[in-house]
Amino acid sequence: MRFGMALRRTISFGLALVFFTACSTSHTTSSAVPQHRTPSLVNTVQGGGGCTDIFGCPIGQLCWDGSEPDAFDGSCPPVPPTGGTSQPPPPGCSISAATLAVTPLPRNRATLGVGEQVGLVSADGSTWSVSGNGTLDTTSGGSVVFTAADTAGAATVTVSAKGCLAADVTYNIIAPSGLLYTALNGIKHTQGLADIGMRASVYLQPDSVSFKGLAYLELDAPVTATGPYLCLNGSGHSPNPNALVATQDDIVGLGTPIATDTVESGSCGGVDQLGNGSISLNIPQMYMVGLIGAQHQFSVVQHIATASTGALNITKGAASRSTTVSSPPSAY
Amino acid sequence: MLHTTTKAHWLRVICGAMTGVLLSASLMVAASAQTPNNDDQTESRIAAAMAGLHRFQSSHSNDDLRATAHALFSAIDQRALRLGDVPRHRRSVVAAYAQLLAQIDGLSDPTFDRSELPMLCATPPREPNGGQLPACADPKDISDSATRAQYVAAIDANSVKIQRRNAQAALHLLGDETTSLLEIVLRRFHIRVPSDTAALDDILRRAGLSEARRSMIHSMF
């Protein structure tokens, strides 16, 4: 039996050495025996260094008692209490997490977008629970999927099992804070008219979480127009009634891509095209988690077009384009 | 002398007994390695998870596909798992996920380009009087009936385009969700388990997955 264990250890050590040698990444692992496992997104394994997997779990090392780490996530058996009058409590249950959205990194971030999903794994896990803004797809077993609610707030996922202290992870869930508009190439213009238009890519912000899967739409807003745009005063901004679903991954520096917007002044035709005037409207923006979810307003985006002594300017959010009434005609 | 001989005799007896115990223990260990691990429910959980995919054949509901992906994710019963069983379970779970992804991909329109962002609104045509309302304008503000009808047709066409896109988006998002869950499962298998790339890739090929999908999953092995 001892020979078998020794052989197993030798093989294990050999495997560990192979993993360790093959890995060039470095990481920091606590070598102290944990007394409590406070909310953590990374497993704690006692021992030396080595590679880490997707969760940051160490690879290729032995546990405190010389046994192999868990085959899946590298966690170790609970550390037994030592003698004496003040015995330390058992260690916390292992808990690891990775967002299902592949961006933004890190995948074990504690801030999530509304509706975002996280896969949670525990080597010890038998019972899971959640409090706050989110749900679990199941409450038992070694793995669960947490889904953030459709409104901002906090959620705590707790795993408990026999032989370890319950461990938890707290998530800060945020709603879209606004939209980033970036102007695309090209200006729409009809020569001789106070007519200007641009196209812009629209991103849900912030870029620190993923809003992939969120549906978005604009709501109605009345137009206030003066000068060469007077005929548009009081007209409606009738948005598309079909919400658009974000299907792309978050882009660092921009946000989650959601739509292409056509932003135009329109024109009244035969009136004085060189006078001063403007169009302005404040457009409420809505998001939904899924196409049948509740609508939540998160932003108002201002759309302004101005005409001043032949100069034309159009802006929506941070995007803008300029031309002049006399400029040659152009299209997107 | 007699005393020494007696000690040597007893030493031989003890050593012989220990050898016998060790041999028996080794045989027991070897035997236990071949006996089925009744605590490990992974294979039965994988089979149960696939019930969602079977339900989908009649329900045609994406919810059944999603339920399958999630049930497979929680199918690994790692507390009862033996290291030697990991390769077999990995093949089983990869085969199950491959079958699910083949179903999802089979429903997807291959011409759908998710990088093409949909247009929020249509733009009204210019009216006979020279005026032109901006994109997203309300059709009732267009006085010319022919121009209005043309604009309403453009709005309807854009709506149909968005609705089709949203249907495709739902499948692609489900494919992404399923792939991420498979990725997490495979990453958990990475630790201290020999690679099995050729066999796993063969499983993906036999499931009929596209080259792009196989390549994406292959990087997770």
Side-chain angles (χ1 to χ4, degrees):
Chain A
M1 181 81 98
R2 294 184 72 84
F3 174 74
M5 281 183 67
L7 181 65
R8 191 162 163 259
R9 293 261 173 86
T10 307
I11 293 169
S12 301
F13 183 73
L15 278 170
L17 196 63
V18 168
F19 274 115
F20 186 78
T21 309
C23 179
S24 58
T25 56
S26 62
H27 78 297
T28 304
T29 307
S30 170
S31 60
V33 175
Q35 302 303 307
H36 295 279
R37 190 155 295 175
T38 50
S40 167
L41 291 169
V42 179
N43 273 350
T44 305
V45 178
Q46 297 76 34
C51 305
T52 57
D53 68 1
I54 187 173
F55 304 114
C57 300
I59 297 172
Q61 61 186 36
L62 298 179
C63 294
W64 62 273
D65 63 350
S67 67
E68 292 176 0
D70 179 87
F72 287 125
D73 59 14
S75 64
C76 285
V79 181
T82 56
T85 51
S86 57
Q87 291 187 345
C93 301
S94 72
I95 187 166
S96 310
T99 57
L100 300 195
V102 296
T103 61
L105 297 175
R107 297 274 296 271
N108 63 356
R109 60 193 148 80
T111 302
L112 304 175
V114 288
E116 215 180 328
Q117 292 184 305
V118 181
L120 292 134
V121 176
S122 175
D124 317 297
S126 60
T127 305
W128 298 79
S129 61
V130 63
S131 61
N133 286 19
T135 56
L136 296 174
D137 65 343
T138 182
T139 54
S140 63
S143 317
V144 296
V145 176
F146 167 75
T147 303
D150 63 352
T151 53
T156 299
V157 179
T158 304
V159 62
S160 57
K162 196 176 174 183
C164 58
L165 290 176
D168 54 37
V169 181
T170 296
Y171 290 110
N172 177 33
I173 296 152
I174 59 173
S177 58
L179 292 161
L180 174 66
Y181 289 78
T182 60
L184 298 169
N185 288 334
I187 297 173
K188 173 182 172 284
H189 174 61
T190 306
Q191 191 169 25
L193 295 179
D195 168 38
I196 182 170
M198 67 174 173
R199 282 188 172 157
S201 296
V202 188
Y203 302 88
L204 290 161
Q205 289 199 308
D207 66 347
S208 56
V209 297
S210 173
F211 292 117
K212 191 174 168 182
L214 237 61
Y216 146 86
L217 74 166
E218 292 188 338
L219 294 189
D220 198 3
V223 173
T224 302
T226 61
Y229 304 115
L230 189 61
C231 74
L232 303 174
N233 190 44
S235 64
H237 172 82
S238 179
N240 170 24
N242 301 284
L244 309 177
V245 177
T247 57
Q248 296 183 37
D249 291 311
D250 175 81
I251 300 171
V252 174
L254 294 173
T256 305
I258 183 75
T260 302
D261 196 7
T262 304
V263 189
E264 296 174 333
S265 64
S267 68
C268 294
V271 297
D272 177 13
Q273 298 294 311
L274 293 175
N276 294 339
S278 67
I279 294 171
S280 68
L281 58 165
N282 295 320
I283 306 168
Q285 313 286 322
M286 307 290 287
Y287 76 83
M288 296 176 285
V289 173
L291 286 167
I292 56 171
Q295 292 185 6
H296 302 279
Q297 183 176 327
F298 67 100
S299 180
V300 175
V301 174
Q302 200 167 47
H303 167 198
I304 303 173
T306 57
S308 175
T309 61
L312 303 173
N313 187 61
I314 191 162
T315 66
K316 188 168 185 179
S320 76
R321 282 279 184 259
S322 298
T323 187
T324 61
V325 172
S326 59
S327 294
S330 57
Y332 302 122
Chain B
M1 188 67 178
L2 182 66
H3 181 69
T4 308
T5 307
T6 307
K7 276 175 69 178
H9 166 75
W10 280 111
L11 269 171
R12 277 198 298 275
V13 168
I14 291 168
C15 285
M18 282 181 67
T19 306
V21 168
L22 284 171
L23 191 61
S24 305
S26 300
L27 289 171
M28 283 170 64
V29 168
S32 70
Q34 291 167 6
T35 53
N37 182 0
N38 293 326
D39 294 334
D40 181 4
Q41 301 296 316
T42 301
E43 292 298 326
S44 58
R45 288 183 188 202
I46 291 171
M50 295 306 278
L53 185 57
H54 299 314
R55 274 198 309 277
F56 172 80
Q57 306 308 328
S58 54
S59 72
H60 305 293
S61 165
N62 286 357
D63 290 343
D64 282 328
L65 298 177
R66 178 169 286 106
T68 306
H70 284 230
L72 286 172
F73 181 64
S74 55
I76 311 301
D77 188 6
Q78 68 192 77
R79 287 164 295 167
L81 194 70
R82 289 191 307 210
L83 207 57
D85 293 330
V86 168
R88 179 168 60 94
H89 291 327
R90 179 165 54 184
R91 289 183 186 187
S92 297
V93 80
V94 167
Y97 268 114
Q99 204 179 329
L100 177 60
L101 285 166
Q103 177 72 71
I104 294 168
D105 291 348
L107 296 166
S108 303
D109 177 358
T111 63
F112 173 73
D113 179 6
R114 71 164 77 192
S115 68
E116 187 184 318
L117 291 173
M119 297 299 295
L120 201 55
C121 293
T123 299
R126 189 172 297 283
E127 293 187 71
N129 66 5
Q132 185 178 25
L133 293 179
C136 298
D138 191 330
K140 71 176 170 49
D141 293 324
I142 297 178
S143 52
D144 178 65
S145 59
T147 307
R148 186 167 59 247
Q150 216 178 327
Y151 180 43
V152 167
I155 291 173
D156 290 345
N158 193 44
S159 288
V160 168
K161 194 174 175 183
I162 290 172
Q163 285 164 8
R164 283 185 183 153
R165 188 185 188 282
N166 285 347
Q168 284 300 310
L171 286 169
H172 280 257
L173 290 168
L174 183 56
D176 291 348
E177 185 176 333
T178 302
T179 307
S180 282
L181 290 171
L182 172 59
E183 179 190 16
I184 295 173
V185 171
L186 288 173
R187 296 290 186 202
R188 292 168 67 194
F189 278 124
H190 269 188
I191 296 176
R192 312 171 75 78
V193 180
S195 66
D196 194 18
T197 305
L200 295 175
D201 198 42
D202 189 51
I203 288 170
L204 300 182
R205 190 178 289 107
R206 278 188 278 121
L209 292 181
S210 68
E211 185 66 40
R213 182 70 81 185
R214 273 173 46 215
S215 170
M216 187 188 299
I217 298 171
H218 193 276
S219 66
M220 303 170 187
F221 291 154

